[in-house]
Amino acid sequence: MTLDLQIGDAERRIQTLRRDVFIEHPDAQRIARQIESALRGFLAAKEVGHPADARGVVILGRSGTGKTRSVLRTLGALGMQPTKVGDYPRHHIFVSLDDRVSLRRLRLLISEQYGRTPRSRDSAGDIWRYVAEFIDRLETRVIVLDEIQHVRTAGPQDRQSVRDALKSLVQPQSGQVVPILIGTPGFAEILNSDQQLRRRYSVVHMTNLDPGADARRAIQVLAHYAKKVGVALGTSVQTRDFAERLLHASYYALGELCEICILALSGAISAGDNVLEIEHFRITHAERFDCIPELNPFIAEDFANIPTDEDPEQ
């Protein structure tokens, strides 16, 4: 069965933004520095044959701040492009956790990224033995564990066993890697509960955008995206009032702000408009959330009092 859909130039132009463009931000730069530093130390130790602990990196922030995108962009810049089962080498793998966190579940999810589904009788130790073989044979240097905050919901025994596993990942042994943990701020509770774990990981806290300090940055982000797809900015999207509305609509999170800009540009391009105005943002927000005008920050007079999305994992 073939889908009766025609992909046009508008969709292709927008996808180039999602694939290639990321606006530089101090938090993203700090993530890049920490990951590069951890990898340099890890690879140097391997090169000289010196057994040493690796150093992991923890990225914490609210949803929409650009944590995962920053990590993947950094790995790509370091030559670690995404791979799939069967590829060689596999310098990094990406694992997204769920709320069924246990040591066996963690290792099962890693194993599945290598194309092997454990047997029901395999213990966590059994699973790790062949995962470690994959890591060494396929030259895996980094394991990214996304949504790491789910460890908080595990029972006391599972939390302890996962904490121990996160510590062992960096120790010199078969299967040693640089682990990168991505999650919401609630994971700090787990991280700070074990001094050994805390010492083995560098932490980057993603900050929220500030309506006073980042209004200009918001316009710069929009202008950067618009230039990439050949759309001009109208006067209505170059004011401080618009910037504050855009920041509020994005919940003061950089990743969400970028997404809103892309969606508005997509709407403008699809409509055949070469100039982007606030009306494109109003329409996009209304269609995205099916909200009444009073709850649309791009039209409401009292937009600052519209509730923002509060991440429950604070």
Side-chain angles (χ1 to χ4, degrees):
M1 179 179 178
T2 302
L3 292 176
D4 188 19
L5 289 172
Q6 298 298 318
I7 307 301
D9 180 62
E11 290 80 12
R12 296 188 186 95
R13 290 163 70 189
I14 289 299
Q15 289 307 312
T16 62
L17 298 184
R18 297 187 189 281
R19 185 184 68 233
D20 298 328
V21 181
F22 189 85
I23 306 304
E24 287 294 349
H25 185 270
D27 289 344
Q29 294 167 353
R30 288 193 297 132
I31 288 171
R33 286 195 298 270
Q34 292 289 1
I35 292 175
E36 184 172 353
S37 174
L39 274 169
R40 284 183 182 278
F42 175 65
L43 295 175
K46 278 189 167 296
E47 185 176 299
V48 301
H50 174 61
D53 282 357
R55 187 159 192 83
V57 181
V58 179
I59 318 297
L60 300 179
R62 292 175 57 237
S63 298
T65 50
K67 304 182 298 293
T68 301
R69 199 173 180 187
S70 296
V71 168
L72 294 180
R73 178 176 180 268
T74 296
L75 293 176
L78 294 173
M80 296 188 175
Q81 300 300 330
T83 56
K84 61 183 184 302
V85 174
D87 289 343
Y88 173 85
R90 298 198 69 189
H91 288 318
H92 92 268
I93 63 168
F94 184 93
V95 179
S96 185
L97 304 185
D98 52 35
D99 57 5
R100 294 176 289 165
V101 177
S102 66
L103 179 60
R104 186 182 187 281
R105 177 71 177 167
L106 171 66
R107 291 176 170 175
L108 179 149
L109 292 172
I110 296 173
S111 176
E112 289 179 340
Q113 289 299 314
Y114 287 108
R116 176 164 180 173
T117 300
R119 300 165 298 186
S120 59
R121 66 175 181 270
D122 286 341
S123 67
D126 295 330
I127 296 171
W128 189 249
R129 276 188 285 277
Y130 53 76
V131 165
E133 292 176 4
F134 280 122
I135 289 173
D136 293 339
R137 186 168 72 247
L138 299 181
E139 299 180 5
T140 301
R141 305 306 187 209
V142 172
I143 293 181
V144 181
L145 299 177
D146 199 13
E147 306 293 349
I148 192 67
Q149 73 276 0
H150 286 307
V151 176
R152 290 181 65 201
T153 66
Q157 184 174 348
D158 284 330
R159 279 201 304 273
Q160 181 61 54
S161 61
V162 171
R163 276 198 302 261
D164 291 343
L166 295 176
K167 287 187 287 187
S168 70
L169 282 174
V170 302
Q171 294 172 337
Q173 60 179 330
S174 178
Q176 184 187 26
V177 293
V178 172
I180 300 177
L181 314 181
I182 305 174
T184 54
F187 180 70
E189 174 188 330
I190 301 296
L191 185 65
N192 295 327
S193 68
D194 188 303
Q195 189 177 14
Q196 289 184 335
L197 177 65
R198 181 66 181 83
R199 284 203 312 265
R200 288 174 168 86
Y201 285 81
S202 301
V203 183
V204 177
H205 293 277
M206 300 291 282
T207 56
N208 294 334
L209 297 173
D210 181 85
D214 291 309
R216 183 179 178 185
R217 183 188 298 277
I219 302 298
Q220 290 174 335
V221 169
L222 177 58
H224 192 99
Y225 278 109
K227 183 178 180 181
K228 286 287 182 178
V229 291
V231 174
L233 297 187
T235 57
S236 66
V237 295
Q238 299 187 62
T239 67
R240 184 175 184 86
D241 176 74
F242 167 76
E244 291 176 353
R245 291 173 183 273
L246 176 57
L247 287 166
H248 194 81
S250 68
Y251 316 131
Y252 305 99
L254 177 64
E256 180 66 12
L257 185 145
C258 292
E259 180 66 14
I260 291 172
C261 291
I262 291 172
L263 291 173
L265 283 164
S266 177
I269 293 172
S270 298
D273 298 333
N274 295 320
V275 179
L276 186 68
E277 300 285 2
I278 194 171
E279 179 67 5
H280 295 108
F281 286 86
R282 183 196 67 78
I283 293 172
T284 298
H285 192 90
E287 292 178 345
R288 187 181 182 193
F289 296 107
D290 193 24
C291 64
I292 60 176
E294 289 76 11
L295 293 179
N296 188 325
F298 295 106
I299 191 174
E301 290 187 15
D302 194 19
F303 71 90
N305 285 324
I306 297 174
T308 57
D309 178 45
E310 293 296 334
D311 194 317
E313 287 285 351
Q314 294 295 324

